[in-house]
Amino acid sequence: MDKFSSSELIYFVCLAGTFVFAVSGWLLASKKELDFFGAAVISFITAVGGGTLRDVLIGSTPVGWMQDINYLLIIASAMLATVFFKRIFEKLRRTMFLFDSIGIGLFTILGVQKTLGLGLSPVVAIMMGTISAVFGGVLRDTLVNEIPLIFRREVYATVCVAGGTTYWLLGETSLNDELRVIITIGLTITIRILAVVNNWTFKAVK
């Protein structure tokens, strides 16, 4: 388990984010009509891919999910829940952006916190927060032969950079860590949802 100052809140956030990304991966795999094993692989990679890369890059090994069986249990429960309640999840999401929005908000803050806790610079911490949030999705999309969201014109990875920067800046204030976490996650999710709803995009490179 990742060790943070607000341990109970962060642990809950981490498990919740893992569940959300696992659901996201399974739903896309189902859309692509993969078999059970293929869907399980996509779900697992979506849930832990970003955090795994982050931990390897900052030298925090064994990586987080290897040290706590609860991560695997959460992923398994997300897979089963999606199998049995797929229609409910699809009605809640409408499109994949809702689950991705929740996931990137949760994992951005986790990546920033863990990296800052190791004494690395804020710039590196924001980069690691972004990697934590989006790389699982990159692997997911690549494996099912889709262009990853971060390479499209959608406002996606930029939202994570904004969230990570906000968390770091709030650290320079007198706000307690729990409030910083809540504000940052809420801001990240809100910006992402607004970007999709209002069709905010960046200009294509020519």
Side-chain angles (χ1 to χ4, degrees), residues 99-149:
F99 288 111
D100 277 329
S101 298
I102 296 171
I104 64 174
L106 296 170
F107 277 93
T108 296
I109 188 64
L110 291 169
V112 172
Q113 280 203 335
K114 185 164 189 177
T115 306
L116 288 175
L118 293 176
L120 298 176
S121 74
V123 173
V124 173
I126 294 168
M127 291 173 62
M128 292 302 102
T130 303
I131 286 174
S132 299
V134 306
F135 199 80
V138 170
L139 290 174
R140 175 198 66 203
D141 292 343
T142 301
L143 289 173
V144 298
N145 200 30
E146 288 200 356
I147 299 175
L149 280 174

Side-chain angles (χ1 to χ4, degrees), residues 27 81 83 97 104 135 139 165 170 180 190-191:
L27 288 174
V83 168
F97 89 87
I104 64 174
F135 199 80
L139 290 174
T165 302
L170 290 176
R180 290 165 60 199
T190 300
I191 294 175

Side-chain angles (χ1 to χ4, degrees), residues 3-180:
K3 295 181 180 178
F4 300 94
S5 57
S6 307
S7 58
E8 292 185 0
L9 173 62
I10 295 302
Y11 189 50
F12 171 79
V13 167
C14 192
L15 293 180
T18 300
F19 184 91
V20 165
F21 266 23
V23 169
S24 172
W26 188 279
L27 288 174
L28 182 57
S30 176
K31 179 181 177 182
K32 294 292 184 176
E33 299 183 346
L34 302 185
D35 62 16
F36 187 89
F37 179 77
V41 170
I42 296 300
S43 183
F44 177 80
I45 288 175
T46 306
V48 301
T52 297
L53 178 61
R54 174 204 67 208
D55 287 351
V56 170
L57 289 174
I58 64 178
S60 178
T61 55
V63 297
W65 62 268
M66 292 183 177
Q67 300 183 54
D68 189 344
I69 192 65
N70 286 333
Y71 288 107
L72 299 180
L73 294 176
I74 284 291
I75 293 172
S77 66
M79 294 177 187
L80 291 175
T82 312
V83 168
F84 289 108
F85 304 106
K86 180 181 175 182
R87 291 184 179 180
I88 295 176
F89 281 117
E90 288 181 334
K91 287 180 180 179
L92 289 174
R93 63 160 183 151
R94 293 181 180 273
T95 59
M96 290 298 297
F97 89 87
L98 178 58
F99 288 111
D100 277 329
S101 298
I102 296 171
I104 64 174
L106 296 170
F107 277 93
T108 296
I109 188 64
L110 291 169
V112 172
Q113 280 203 335
K114 185 164 189 177
T115 306
L116 288 175
L118 293 176
L120 298 176
S121 74
V123 173
V124 173
I126 294 168
M127 291 173 62
M128 292 302 102
T130 303
I131 286 174
S132 299
V134 306
F135 199 80
V138 170
L139 290 174
R140 175 198 66 203
D141 292 343
T142 301
L143 289 173
V144 298
N145 200 30
E146 288 200 356
I147 299 175
L149 280 174
I150 65 169
F151 300 142
R152 303 178 202 171
R153 294 170 58 191
E154 291 188 37
V155 177
Y156 192 66
T158 309
V159 176
C160 304
V161 174
T165 302
T166 298
Y167 178 79
W168 169 60
L169 291 175
L170 290 176
E172 303 300 312
T173 70
S174 59
L175 291 176
N176 61 49
D177 199 47
E178 287 84 355
L179 191 55
R180 290 165 60 199

